[in-house]
Amino acid sequence: MTTSTTTELTIGGMTCASCAARVEKKLNRIDGVTATVNYATEKARVEHPPDIGVDELIATVERTGYTAEEPPPPEPAPTAGAGAGSGDGSGSGDADTRDPELAALRQRLTVSALLSAPVVLLAMVPALQFDDWQWLSLTLAAPVVVWGGLPFHRAAWTNLRHGAATMDTLVSIGTLAAFGWSLWALFLGDAGEPGMRHGFDLTVDHSTGSSAIYLEVAAGVITFILLGRCLEARAKRKAGAALRALMELGAKDVAVLRDGTEVRVPVTELRTGDLFVVRPGEKIATDGTVAEGSSAVDASLLTGESLPLDVTEGDTVTGGCVNVSGRLVVRATRVGADTRLARMARLVEDAQNGKAEVQRLADRISAVFVPVVLLIALGTLVTWLLVTDDPTAAFTAAVAVLIIACPCALGLATPTALLVGTGRGAQLGILIKGPEVLESTRRIDTIVLDKTGTVTTGRMSLTDLHVYEDAGTDEDTLLRLAGALEDASEHPVARAVAAGAAERLGPLPTPKSFENVPGLGVRGSVDGRLVLVGRAALLTAEGVEVPERTGPGAVHVAWDGIARGTLTVADTVKDTSAEAVTRLRALGLRPVLLTGDHRAAAEAVAAEVGIDEVIAEVLPEEKAGVVRRLQEEGRTVAMVGDGVNDAAALATADLGLAMGTGTDAAIEAGDLTLVRGDLRVAADAIRLSRRTLATIKGNLGWAFGYNVAALPLAAAGLLNPMIAGLAMAFSSVFVVSNSLRLRRFM
């Protein structure tokens, strides 16, 4: 067997989807390598044999004309975090400081806009033109074309040396052609004469070639595209804000107990088993178990749950959450990359780096789109020359084709929606493993819900008590004696009885004797009475006649040789489960309750939450078989579960939703992870996935429709090149803005 290694690279120099397609194609040509390149995140995820080193992968990317490097480790924040920061970082005044690339882009845009504005105004408003205005336009436009458009020209030249063409090729050829024509007309034609006037038309200009200048096209298009790039960069920064917030949640240092003394050390020095102190207002440094103290913990930025969770000794806590009230001493159980926070961030990043099937189609189109556009532009030029014998009109139409066809929107359609959708999911406590999951949510028609820990709390509690007729006792006495004896046992049923008795009656008496009867119950002496608590078989074995038999969960109580009554213990339904089932039905899903419990108990839970279909008394290893049987009936099945025994069923289902409060095995098997144990999040997860997929399809529909509609218009001479540049920039901004609407998903 051969093993593969996964390496992530940061790719530099990409300017459109066709760039990403080229890098991906080159990497995939290496034997044994499978690569996915994401234009929006500017990252490549490469699976390769161990004998192929990272240096070889980087060299391959560089030979393609781009830069590549392994992402640097995250830099620690300058201060230790007490409380949780927002982590947004978008739109703030110091955004440029944190992002030098965005700062340089904004500087280039600002200078180009200031120089281009007079050029565009003079060209579009003939009344503003004066003698020799064209020479002022040349003076102002030249720096924009040369310096402002330098990134496009440099990238086009690099691609040309590698025998490729991208969006930059279209922009560079179009703007240089417009500028070159203007230079010829000014110095060798009639356009440089004093008193020359120039009209402006939204369509192709049919004026004589020697007096036509296109300086406003050259300068305006570059400015518009720089504006689009700048807005894209800021939007992508906003889209990735949720992931940055997630990765910045962790504490930076921690007070570790060494021989009873607090020593503050960097969180990287924390080890499994260490005891550390968390004071009110501080972040919990890593996953652990409370060893001392009690408090309320705010996990809102991690789970989306606004209500603080009360914790005490023995409870588990998650790194990144904020201690609200009391002092806690926590024993570390997971550190570093094994913590829940780190795994959540890794899941979100993996999902954002992936590609849905619809995006792969877009990438394949983008890879051939630019060469096709170059041929269309050449064909437009030749056709106009043959039909009209008007070089000015032919040139204008060809340049408009080059500029309008830039496939920026096509490349941004899917990744920006994924960035925002998965980031918003992380804020709400929903982790989407990959973009292919989005496709699955659209087809789901049946959702199978594991009962214990998913629909119910997974904790037993006392729900009812019944005193037999002629038993010679009352409810309080029955509960007090049974609760006192069960208080000495560690069995979950016994703990539920004892807790219920203490809650109703207060302090319980202490048994003078106690004996556990394995598998049956307990016996002992309380207040001078020989008390039996347990199954009917325990009472029968002691010669006590049981007058009534009840269903599962019944605990029988007897003393002094007489059966006195029964207590009913059951796994309680979560307060939100009924509402969750209603929401799932509203999404067109058919809920099914799946459990290994007795049918009577399962049907009682199902009736309480509004589920009609129940599959009960199923062994753990049979759950996956139940899912397969439903699939064979023609259903597309989602499965929600939280235990080890649910892992196989989660993996078998068309869509697996793992409760984040459950076991690692279940979480690894699921396609979606619901960080908090609220079944309503399952409905939210499916809604968010469907909304994200709909946004992706809407973006692609716009991008495809835009190019399909705009190219014929440009070729027919119905678009001025400068208007084409503005429209092209707008299409990219529209796609990104449409994706950003997912940030408001609730």
Side-chain angles (χ1 to χ4, degrees):
M1 293 180 62
T2 59
T3 58
S4 63
T5 303
T6 300
T7 299
E8 186 175 274
L9 299 175
T10 299
I11 308 296
M14 294 193 301
T15 55
C16 65
S18 53
C19 296
R22 283 192 60 227
V23 176
E24 188 172 293
K25 185 177 180 180
K26 289 288 186 182
L27 287 171
N28 284 324
R29 282 181 177 174
I30 305 173
D31 288 340
V33 170
T34 303
T36 300
V37 180
N38 191 309
Y39 166 52
T41 59
E42 298 179 339
K43 289 182 180 178
R45 185 169 294 276
V46 189
E47 291 185 16
H48 57 95
D51 58 331
I52 295 179
V54 177
D55 291 343
E56 183 177 345
L57 299 175
I58 292 175
T60 301
V61 175
E62 290 176 344
R63 285 196 297 272
T64 312
Y66 304 90
T67 63
E69 61 181 1
E70 290 189 90
E75 296 182 4
T79 59
S86 69
D88 188 333
S90 58
S92 59
D94 60 343
D96 292 353
T97 334
R98 289 193 301 272
D99 193 340
E101 186 178 343
L102 179 59
L105 188 58
R106 289 188 63 179
Q107 182 184 44
R108 200 177 293 270
L109 169 64
T110 302
V111 173
S112 298
L114 290 174
L115 294 175
S116 298
V119 177
V120 173
L121 284 173
L122 285 170
M124 293 182 67
V125 185
L128 297 178
Q129 296 171 5
F130 49 86
D131 289 347
D132 296 326
W133 67 272
Q134 64 270 43
W135 296 105
L136 174 63
S137 293
L138 175 64
T139 304
L140 296 174
V144 177
V145 175
V146 176
W147 177 78
L150 184 60
F152 309 116
H153 308 320
R154 185 190 293 127
W157 173 247
T158 301
N159 290 322
L160 180 63
R161 287 192 293 114
H162 291 88
T166 66
M167 186 205 79
D168 295 299
T169 308
L170 302 181
V171 175
S172 182
I173 292 176
T175 54
L176 288 178
F179 189 68
W181 181 288
S182 301
L183 289 178
W184 173 82
L186 284 169
F187 288 99
L188 301 177
D190 302 330
E193 295 180 0
M196 189 275 285
R197 296 292 184 267
H198 199 306
F200 181 81
D201 197 339
L202 294 178
T203 58
V204 164
D205 185 2
H206 292 273
S207 61
T208 57
S210 61
S211 63
I213 59 174
Y214 294 96
L215 294 172
E216 79 281 3
V217 171
V221 166
I222 285 175
T223 302
F224 290 143
I225 296 177
L226 284 173
L227 174 63
R229 288 270 180 95
C230 191
L231 292 173
E232 286 170 19
R234 290 176 62 84
K236 286 197 292 184
R237 182 174 181 82
K238 288 182 181 179
L243 178 58
R244 288 194 302 275
L246 197 61
M247 299 179 78
E248 292 168 3
L249 274 180
K252 305 304 180 288
D253 59 9
V254 56
V256 181
L257 288 177
R258 309 276 195 210
D259 298 324
T261 304
E262 291 184 30
V263 180
R264 189 159 286 276
V265 299
V267 75
T268 52
E269 296 182 14
L270 197 60
R271 297 292 178 263
T272 302
D274 283 351
L275 288 172
F276 61 93
V277 177
V278 190
R279 289 184 171 79
E282 290 184 335
K283 292 179 184 176
I284 298 172
T286 192
D287 298 355
T289 304
V290 178
E292 180 184 319
S294 60
S295 180
V297 171
D298 178 6
S300 57
L301 283 180
L302 196 64
T303 67
E305 176 59 67
S306 58
L307 188 66
L309 177 68
D310 292 328
V311 297
T312 187
E313 292 181 23
D315 290 337
T316 58
V317 290
T318 303
C321 298
V322 179
N323 182 19
V324 176
S325 51
R327 176 182 182 272
L328 294 176
V329 177
V330 180
R331 185 177 300 279
T333 56
R334 286 176 176 168
V335 296
D338 293 331
T339 64
R340 173 174 287 186
L341 179 62
R343 291 162 66 196
M344 282 177 62
R346 197 160 56 244
L347 279 173
V348 175
E349 191 167 18
D350 288 348
Q352 293 181 347
N353 285 332
K355 290 184 180 180
E357 188 57 37
V358 286
Q359 176 63 26
R360 296 188 183 280
L361 172 63
D363 286 351
R364 288 194 294 271
I365 292 173
S366 295
V368 299
F369 190 75
V370 172
V372 168
V373 169
L374 289 172
L375 290 176
I376 293 174
L378 181 61
T380 300
L381 178 67
V382 172
T383 302
W384 273 80
L385 285 173
L386 291 176
V387 172
T388 67
D389 197 27
D390 184 346
T392 303
F395 170 80
T396 305
V399 169
V401 167
L402 289 173
I403 292 170
I404 198 69
C406 296
C408 296
L410 204 59
L412 291 166
T414 295
T416 52
L418 271 178
L419 275 169
V420 184
T422 53
R424 181 58 181 154
Q427 291 175 328
L428 297 174
I430 302 165
L431 303 183
I432 303 172
K433 273 195 175 178
E436 64 281 352
V437 173
L438 305 177
E439 304 278 359
S440 302
T441 60
R442 179 171 52 93
R443 301 187 297 269
I444 296 300
D445 55 39
T446 301
I447 185 162
V448 177
L449 307 175
D450 171 58
K451 182 179 78 68
T452 306
T454 302
V455 177
T456 65
T457 62
R459 296 186 298 273
M460 307 299 286
S461 63
L462 182 64
T463 59
D464 193 17
L465 70 161
H466 173 62
V467 177
Y468 297 145
E469 293 182 8
D470 303 325
T473 188
D474 56 34
E475 290 184 354
D476 286 355
T477 303
L478 179 78
L479 187 56
R480 188 170 66 88
L481 296 180
L485 192 61
E486 293 279 53
D487 195 35
S489 173
E490 292 299 324
H491 193 280
V493 172
R495 303 310 306 160
V497 171
E503 182 179 352
R504 176 167 170 172
L505 304 174
L508 302 173
T510 303
K512 290 192 176 180
S513 65
F514 173 83
E515 180 186 356
N516 179 49
V517 184
L520 294 177
V522 294
R523 66 162 65 94
S525 175
V526 182
D527 291 346
R529 295 184 172 106
L530 179 60
V531 181
L532 300 172
V533 184
R535 295 186 176 182
L538 174 64
L539 278 64
T540 302
E542 295 290 334
V544 177
E545 182 180 352
V546 181
E548 297 181 22
R549 292 184 178 272
T550 56
V555 178
H556 299 267
V557 184
W559 60 79
D560 297 338
I562 300 173
R564 309 288 178 170
T566 58
L567 308 173
T568 302
V569 174
D571 183 7
T572 54
V573 174
K574 293 179 181 177
D575 295 337
T576 57
S577 292
E579 182 184 347
V581 170
T582 301
R583 291 187 184 183
L584 292 170
R585 286 188 183 278
L587 292 171
L589 304 179
R590 179 179 174 183
V592 177
L593 188 67
L594 178 65
T595 180
D597 282 357
H598 297 281
R599 174 162 292 276
E603 289 179 345
V605 170
E608 187 173 345
V609 298
I611 297 177
D612 301 324
E613 189 172 350
V614 177
I615 303 175
E617 300 178 12
V618 177
L619 295 175
E621 58 271 21
E622 295 174 346
K623 288 188 174 182
V626 170
V627 172
R628 278 193 294 270
R629 190 177 74 241
L630 292 171
Q631 291 169 330
E632 289 167 2
E633 293 174 2
R635 304 195 206 180
T636 306
V637 181
M639 168 76 188
V640 186
D642 72 331
V644 173
N645 60 352
D646 299 322
L650 287 167
T652 303
D654 299 284
L655 178 69
L657 295 91
M659 303 294 278
T661 51
T663 62
D664 291 346
I667 292 171
E668 290 297 324
D671 301 306
L672 290 164
T673 300
L674 316 177
V675 178
R676 65 181 194 263
D678 187 339
L679 189 57
R680 291 177 299 181
V681 184
D684 292 339
I686 293 173
R687 281 199 307 116
L688 175 61
S689 298
R690 289 180 176 179
R691 181 80 61 83
T692 304
L693 181 63
T695 302
I696 289 173
K697 291 188 172 182
N699 285 348
L700 286 172
W702 164 266
F704 278 120
Y706 165 82
N707 283 119
V708 168
L711 270 174
L713 289 175
L718 299 177
L719 279 179
N720 181 288
M722 191 178 68
I723 302 301
L726 178 61
M728 190 275 290
F730 170 76
S731 78
S732 297
V733 174
F734 174 85
V735 163
V736 176
S737 302
N738 188 46
S739 297
L740 286 174
R741 292 191 305 132
L742 287 168
R743 298 176 79 201
R744 298 193 295 271
F745 175 87
M746 293 298 295

